[in-house]
Amino acid sequence: MSLPLEGLSAIVTGAGRGLGRAEALELARLGASVVVNDFGQPGRDGSGDASATPAESVAEEIRAAGGRAVAHQGDVADFDQARALVELAVAQFGKLDILVNNAGILRDRMVFSMSEEEWDTVVRVHLKGHFNTTHFASVHWRARSKEAGGPVYGRIVNTSSEAYLAGSAGQPNYAAAKGGIVGLTTSTALALAKYGVTANAICPRARTRMTEDVFAGYQEPSAPDQTDPLSPEHVAPLVGYLASPAAARANGQLLVVHGGMVAVMERPKVAAKFDTAKDVFSYEELDEALGGFFAGRPEGETFGAGEVLGLKKG
């Protein structure tokens, strides 16, 4: 019996540790050949090997289990290095079939305290990084589709966040970048559908090195046989599924995943609509229409969906 991703090749960015590592291992377990990307430095993988990088360590872990993998140390937020990443996948495995964009960083601060550098750095790594790899992967798939005279196989799994869905007061840069990724995902889904490519985004909740401060208040399981609800192990299977042929009908979707639960988010709906009685709204007319509408809304309610933070298994 063949594996779901057998014969397919994948890129996972930010895969040297945490969530990306779990995703790379899962794709390999399902049969994919994997390019493990991480902007790591030698000696930072915790193995004691001064020459090792996190990406190389994960690639070796995949090879030791019988899979195919190669490491890439480039910065996906750099346009040329993102190009080299996609080219490496094609050179090593003949083609690229799956792109999992996971790489990211945090620079948390309130909006009134945030520096320009803290804003630019987070938006660069998350949003530009997603665009860069998506751009070069889409060029590859479009060219293959034209050569084949029809659709080819392509899967993009992007990483958004509940910080975008619910709003996160101390993460304006992160929430904005993650919201931008959703926009990039839905646009990409429409643009690449005719080539056979799907693009979806996930909002994972996972305890990793990057989020250890964010989830510091979440209790870890006390029993040794219990899986941490915030373990990346809860997220990786969904990435594997979205990367598979079975998920062909899922396109342009946003899913929340953690702790044994997956939730498909509904698209925004129109809450109310007002028409002017004349040709153009006046201030007074808007005050009457919108003022009355917002007066009847719960205080503190925003476009953010704070209730998503209460989702859990069961």
Side-chain angles (χ1 to χ4, degrees):
M1 182 176 178
S2 62
L3 295 170
L5 304 184
E6 188 172 325
L8 302 177
S9 65
I11 288 172
V12 183
T13 72
R17 310 173 185 83
L19 190 54
R21 172 182 172 274
E23 293 167 347
L25 293 175
E26 177 68 4
L27 294 183
R29 188 187 70 82
L30 294 175
S33 301
V34 185
V35 179
V36 180
N37 162 266
D38 196 88
F39 192 38
Q41 300 297 323
R44 288 174 55 188
D45 71 332
S47 68
D49 183 352
S51 65
T53 65
E56 288 169 344
S57 295
V58 175
E60 176 54 35
E61 190 174 353
I62 291 172
R63 291 191 294 266
R68 299 178 68 197
V70 62
H72 178 269
Q73 269 75 237
D75 176 8
V76 295
D78 180 283
F79 200 63
D80 289 333
Q81 292 183 51
R83 184 205 314 268
L85 172 58
V86 173
E87 290 176 346
L88 175 62
V90 176
Q92 288 287 321
F93 306 125
K95 59 187 173 63
L96 173 65
D97 302 293
I98 300 160
L99 170 63
V100 179
N101 283 310
N102 169 75
I105 60 171
L106 289 178
R107 297 290 185 272
D108 293 352
R109 206 172 298 279
M110 301 295 283
V111 68
F112 43 78
S113 303
M114 182 163 289
S115 69
E116 181 182 19
E117 187 274 335
E118 288 166 335
W119 173 272
D120 288 347
T121 299
V122 168
V123 172
R124 175 184 179 273
V125 174
H126 287 274
L127 187 52
K128 188 183 178 187
H130 272 61
F131 162 74
N132 287 347
T133 54
T134 297
H135 167 75
F136 290 111
S138 68
V139 169
H140 170 70
W141 286 320
R142 183 169 178 260
R144 280 176 53 198
S145 178
K146 287 188 173 183
E147 183 179 348
V152 296
Y153 190 95
R155 297 285 187 269
I156 299 173
V157 182
N158 288 333
T159 306
S160 184
S161 172
E162 293 169 299
Y164 152 69
L165 285 172
S168 180
Q171 297 179 303
N173 48 3
Y174 184 71
K178 291 304 191 182
I181 286 168
V182 174
L184 172 64
T185 302
T186 54
S187 174
T188 301
L190 293 174
L192 300 186
K194 65 181 179 180
Y195 302 118
V197 179
T198 67
N200 295 286
I202 63 171
C203 294
R205 191 186 299 181
R207 196 192 309 275
T208 66
R209 191 184 66 148
M210 189 181 84
T211 62
E212 59 186 355
D213 292 334
V214 176
F215 296 127
Y218 286 73
Q219 186 174 1
E220 297 188 44
S222 54
D225 59 340
Q226 284 184 313
T227 302
D228 183 354
L230 294 178
S231 168
E233 294 174 22
H234 291 293
V235 178
L238 176 61
V239 173
Y241 170 75
L242 292 174
S244 76
R249 294 273 296 176
N251 194 26
Q253 303 299 315
L254 180 64
L255 303 94
V256 176
V257 55
H258 59 81
M261 178 219 73
V262 174
V264 181
M265 299 308 298
E266 181 64 274
R267 64 184 183 181
K269 294 182 178 180
V270 177
K273 176 179 174 291
F274 304 96
D275 297 320
T276 179
K278 304 176 182 179
D279 289 335
V280 179
F281 270 110
S282 66
Y283 171 87
E284 291 76 15
E285 193 179 12
L286 284 170
D287 183 37
E288 180 180 355
L290 294 178
F293 173 74
F294 287 117
R297 305 284 282 187
E299 186 175 357
E301 181 183 79
T302 71
F303 184 74
E307 63 272 17
V308 74
L309 299 179
L311 291 173
K312 60 182 180 180
K313 179 183 176 183

